[in-house]
Amino acid sequence: MRDESRVPIHSDIDIVHARQKGREFAARIGFSSGELTLIATAISELARNIVEYAQHGEMIFQAIHLAGQEGICITAKDEGPGILDVGQALQDGYSSRRSYGLGLPGTKRIVDEFEIASEVGTGTTIVVRKWKK
Amino acid sequence: MEVPILKQGGYLIASIQSALSDADLLSLRDELAYRVGRFRSRGVIVDVTALDVMDSFATRTMRSIAHMLKLRGAETVIVGIQPEVAFAMVQLGLTLEDVATALDLEEGLAYLNRGMKRENTGAR
Ligand SMILES: Nc1ncnc2c1ncn2[C@@H]1O[C@H](COP(=O)(O)OP(=O)(O)O)[C@@H](O)[C@H]1O
Ligand SMILES: [Mg+2]
């Protein structure tokens, strides 16, 4: 199995594409079907944020191993406008677009580890990890 | 990826066949709004059995379909949300609170029929 897969994100079609690629990738790692649905949902939200707020970016899927555990690392990266107040963006219901504001906090609930680095004018990189149960 | 829409009596049934892009979801919404007028449909079933993900955009679009069709005089029922998809929606915090849902097509039809019956007796 290749340890990494990349999907460029430029339009709404790429969101579907990233979801499918990510699901296949996670299936090869051996995640259960319930976990695959959660992973695909998280990918969808992260990819959608790229399309909505940054227009262009990339999703990267990696197989990870630690102390006998196996998992997936998902990176969503863009060089868009960045997020001024990351704490606020992570709150349930906060949206700068009058949307649901659940993409980031919801993704955080779905995964085991969630890291976000964002700088206004430079871009946003979100790295999440989910371990097999 | 176009969603086939069947006319069955006074109802329309849209059966989603595969993953849909945002644009596909929006054209489904517009197509349903148009056909409800054209066929004077009183009820619409959207079958999402084939959807492996219902993210915030899909949820928002389902709600806007239901609200829009209500304004056009039709009741909407979403059927076939898979258990794993339902679980992921709950984790994300998404709800379809003000939209009717049913287990499957059969239950969805039964729901619409009950509504029509209530309406007819109420009108007397
Ligand atoms: N990649 C990104 N680039 C810039 N801003 C972002 C990005 N992702 C999220 N945001 C900001 O964080 C907010 C919260 O995101 P999210 O939880 O997905 O909710 P929503 O997309 O529904 O607004 C967004 O409204 C937006 O302002
Ligand atoms: Mg979002």
Side-chain angles (χ1 to χ4, degrees):
Chain A
M1 173 178 151
R2 276 189 54 208
D3 271 5
E4 186 178 294
S5 167
R6 288 169 179 258
V7 182
I9 306 291
H10 303 290
S11 76
D12 67 318
I13 305 278
D14 298 323
I15 301 173
V16 178
H17 199 186
R19 213 150 75 193
Q20 281 163 352
K21 270 270 188 85
R23 176 186 273 272
E24 282 165 25
F25 193 88
R28 284 199 299 269
I29 297 172
F31 280 98
S32 71
S33 111
E35 289 171 321
L36 292 177
T37 301
L38 288 170
I39 290 166
T41 306
I43 292 169
S44 200
E45 293 296 335
L46 294 177
R48 163 152 297 107
N49 281 351
I50 293 178
V51 173
E52 261 176 40
Y53 306 109
Q55 281 78 53
H56 305 284
E58 190 181 28
M59 301 279 307
I60 305 161
F61 309 117
Q62 288 160 310
I64 49 174
H65 314 266
L66 184 74
Q69 265 190 313
E70 281 178 296
I72 184 169
C73 177
I74 301 164
T75 303
K77 202 163 78 176
D78 67 63
E79 293 175 4
I83 302 173
L84 187 60
D85 186 342
V86 169
Q88 186 182 46
L90 285 171
Q91 276 167 28
D92 267 328
Y94 172 79
S95 173
S96 59
R97 283 241 173 127
R98 296 204 303 129
S99 179
Y100 290 143
L102 291 170
L104 294 181
T107 297
K108 197 173 171 188
R109 276 191 289 275
I110 284 177
V111 299
D112 297 314
E113 291 162 43
F114 183 102
E115 288 158 27
I116 177 166
S118 189
E119 203 177 320
V120 172
T122 306
T124 302
T125 299
I126 296 172
V127 180
V128 306
R129 293 180 200 86
K130 191 167 176 69
W131 299 101
K132 235 162 63 177
K133 292 282 129 56
Chain B
M1 193 73 217
E2 211 172 293
V3 177
I5 301 173
L6 288 168
K7 182 177 173 304
Q8 183 172 320
Y11 303 146
L12 293 178
I13 302 173
S15 315
I16 296 173
Q17 306 287 314
S18 66
L20 296 182
S21 70
D22 298 357
D24 296 331
L25 277 164
L26 294 178
S27 52
L28 171 65
R29 181 194 66 190
D30 297 344
E31 193 57 33
L32 283 173
Y34 165 71
R35 292 210 195 179
V36 157
R38 178 164 163 220
F39 298 119
R40 313 187 80 75
S41 309
R42 304 297 307 280
V44 173
I45 293 180
V46 181
D47 188 347
V48 299
T49 307
L51 284 189
D52 69 334
V53 166
M54 281 268 275
D55 65 356
S56 54
F57 189 86
T59 302
R60 190 150 51 119
T61 309
M62 290 302 153
R63 287 172 74 167
S64 88
I65 285 176
H67 295 163
M68 212 163 135
L69 297 184
K70 181 98 204 166
L71 293 170
R72 303 276 287 143
E75 202 62 46
T76 301
V77 195
I78 310 294
V79 306
I81 297 178
Q82 295 304 295
E84 287 161 358
V85 173
F87 180 69
M89 288 173 72
V90 171
Q91 290 282 97
L92 220 59
L94 294 168
T95 59
L96 281 171
E97 36 186 338
D98 39 8
V99 179
T101 51
L103 190 63
D104 55 21
L105 202 55
E106 203 181 319
E107 293 295 328
L109 283 167
Y111 172 89
L112 289 178
N113 287 333
R114 280 198 299 277
M116 296 303 137
K117 213 184 264 165
R118 254 199 314 276
E119 211 171 85
N120 292 336
T121 48
R124 229 170 257 153

